[in-house]
Amino acid sequence: MMNKTAVPETLQSLDQRSRDIFRRIVESYLGDGEPVGSRNLSRILPVSLSPATIRNVMSDLEHLGLVYAPHISAGRLPTQLGLRFFVDAFMEVGDLSKSERHSIEAQVRAGETQSAENVLTQASQILSGMSRGAGLVLAAKAEGALKHIEFVRLEPTKALAVLVTQSGDVENRVIELPVGVTQSQLIEASNFLNAHIQGRTITEARQEIARLKEETQQALDALSQHLVEQGLAIWGGDGGGQPARLIVRGRGNLLESVSAEADLERLRHLFDDLETKEGTLQLLDLAEAGPGVRIFIGSENKLFSLSGSSLVIAPYRDSEQRIIGALGVIGPTRLNYARIVPMVDYTAQLVSRLLR
């Protein structure tokens, strides 16, 4: 994202006339995606300026890297830097009307009586319909509080790790045992884990065991320590657990204004990236990186470097305010950011409430 400290410096270099012209160029682009020329700008500006004066200002804006001319004789379009500058310095985020809020809530609640999956699917569909972009929801695996873990020997070098959550869910994993592990060491490792994991999620339990590393070394021998670490590791990262699910609705919206083969290829890259495990994890990382709604324009994020798309994304949370997923809108860089930001924000808050 553009360095926020650069915004005041750039703003100070623009007089009121330059600001007005820049805003009109961006607003025109967000409206129809077309470059705007000096003659058209002279008709819509609040003050009377000649096309020649406007061209001089446009040249200055181009020198600052805020606009560019797609063709020699064409008007100007905002650059990616220009869009970021506009969003950070000029954009006024509106609010949803009461009827829009009621509409979103009614549609999301329509899936509430069926399942959490339906709530998330409805949210994705709503964001797509209201934004004319693609609505996406990332549903990360919700980690339940742990109750008990036990190791059951299957073979001399294999054991079954049984994990029980406080909600009653039971998960099993087969783990490899180091040569020489005794039954008493299996019990010792289970007892040590159970003394420290109750009421914690897997992530929190792993953090706690890591924090207690010195205590673990004093209390357990090397083989039992290995069991303790392995017993939690198999449920973290790539080793276990349900993968994050990505729900995307409204892909067709992204194709409506695309005609060039190069643009279609960029969209294919985008959808391919989104559907990889790495892509979904990146989306969650983006949402977790800052509070509230975040805006990423074009290549500001690696995930969209090939597609040139923009993303408006916000996390949703469980009853303990832990981030358990993310939702948002993806579309062309000329998204109506001022309208979409409150839409994404309200939907994320609503989903957080319904899934608690």
Side-chain angles (χ1 to χ4, degrees):
M1 295 171 66
M2 179 179 176
N3 187 344
K4 289 268 190 176
T5 59
V7 171
E9 295 172 10
T10 307
L11 196 58
Q12 286 173 7
S13 70
L14 299 180
D15 58 23
Q16 190 59 48
R17 182 172 62 185
S18 299
R19 296 182 197 191
D20 288 341
I21 290 173
F22 173 69
R23 287 190 65 165
R24 297 289 176 169
I25 291 173
V26 176
E27 288 168 355
S28 177
Y29 168 73
L30 295 179
D32 59 25
E34 297 296 326
V36 59
S38 54
R39 291 191 180 278
N40 284 337
L41 280 170
S42 67
R43 298 190 189 101
I44 60 176
L45 285 169
V47 295
S48 179
L49 294 174
S50 69
T53 300
I54 293 173
R55 282 194 294 272
N56 287 335
V57 173
M58 291 165 77
S59 178
D60 292 339
L61 294 172
E62 193 166 358
H63 180 71
L64 287 170
L66 299 178
V67 302
Y68 74 101
H71 308 291
I72 292 175
S73 59
R76 299 299 193 277
L77 291 172
T79 62
Q80 182 178 303
L81 180 67
L83 284 172
R84 168 52 59 190
F85 177 50
F86 175 83
V87 166
D88 289 345
F90 290 101
M91 188 179 76
E92 296 178 5
V93 176
D95 197 6
L96 297 176
S97 67
K98 187 177 290 187
S99 63
E100 286 174 323
R101 288 171 180 263
H102 286 163
S103 176
I104 292 173
E105 183 161 0
Q107 291 178 70
V108 173
R109 282 188 178 279
E112 184 184 12
T113 57
Q114 299 171 52
S115 66
E117 180 87 10
N118 279 46
V119 168
L120 299 175
T121 300
Q122 285 291 103
S124 179
Q125 190 73 51
I126 290 162
L127 290 172
S128 168
M130 293 184 70
S131 69
R132 301 308 300 160
L136 57 87
V137 174
L138 179 66
K141 177 179 171 61
E143 292 190 90
L146 304 178
K147 180 180 181 181
H148 181 77
I149 190 168
E150 183 176 354
F151 298 110
V152 180
R153 187 188 294 276
L154 300 175
E155 300 173 13
T157 58
K158 288 187 187 296
L160 188 68
V162 182
L163 185 74
V164 182
T165 67
Q166 291 191 344
S167 62
D169 293 332
V170 179
E171 291 190 43
N172 303 313
R173 296 283 190 280
V174 176
I175 63 173
E176 298 289 331
L177 295 179
V179 176
V181 169
T182 65
Q183 182 62 30
S184 63
Q185 286 170 325
L186 290 174
I187 295 171
E188 185 180 38
S190 297
N191 290 341
F192 185 87
L193 281 169
N194 290 327
H196 295 95
I197 67 170
Q198 282 200 17
R200 292 186 166 95
T201 66
I202 282 290
T203 300
E204 292 166 345
R206 292 178 73 184
Q207 292 170 346
E208 176 66 6
I209 295 301
R211 189 182 68 81
L212 295 172
K213 191 166 186 178
E214 188 173 319
E215 182 180 324
T216 307
Q217 290 173 343
Q218 293 173 356
L220 306 172
D221 61 31
L223 289 180
S224 296
Q225 287 177 48
H226 178 83
L227 284 171
V228 166
E229 293 168 3
Q230 191 180 6
L232 289 181
I234 57 170
W235 274 282
D238 293 334
Q242 178 185 343
R245 305 187 312 284
L246 183 65
I247 304 167
V248 182
R249 292 292 182 272
R251 295 178 188 221
N253 292 343
L254 302 185
L255 299 171
E256 288 179 355
S257 58
V258 172
S259 56
E261 182 62 30
D263 291 336
L264 287 171
E265 187 60 27
R266 282 197 291 271
L267 281 179
R268 277 193 284 269
H269 275 299
L270 170 66
F271 292 138
D272 287 346
D273 287 343
L274 284 174
E275 289 176 356
T276 64
K277 183 174 183 181
E278 292 74 19
T280 55
L281 291 175
Q282 279 188 53
L283 283 175
L284 193 56
D285 287 343
L286 294 182
E288 289 179 332
V293 182
R294 306 196 73 205
I295 299 172
F296 296 89
I297 299 172
S299 60
E300 287 179 347
N301 180 265
K302 179 183 173 184
L303 187 58
F304 310 120
S305 59
L306 290 176
S307 67
S309 302
S310 286
L311 172 73
V312 181
I313 192 168
Y316 58 90
R317 303 169 185 271
D318 63 13
S319 58
E320 297 180 20
Q321 292 302 300
R322 291 180 298 215
I323 294 174
I324 56 172
L327 55 79
V329 171
I330 190 167
T333 54
R334 64 184 190 88
L335 283 173
N336 186 342
Y337 301 100
R339 171 171 161 74
I340 290 173
V341 165
M343 182 193 310
V344 169
D345 187 33
Y346 181 71
T347 306
Q349 292 178 41
L350 180 60
V351 168
S352 295
R353 291 202 306 270
L354 294 181
L355 294 185
R356 285 172 186 166

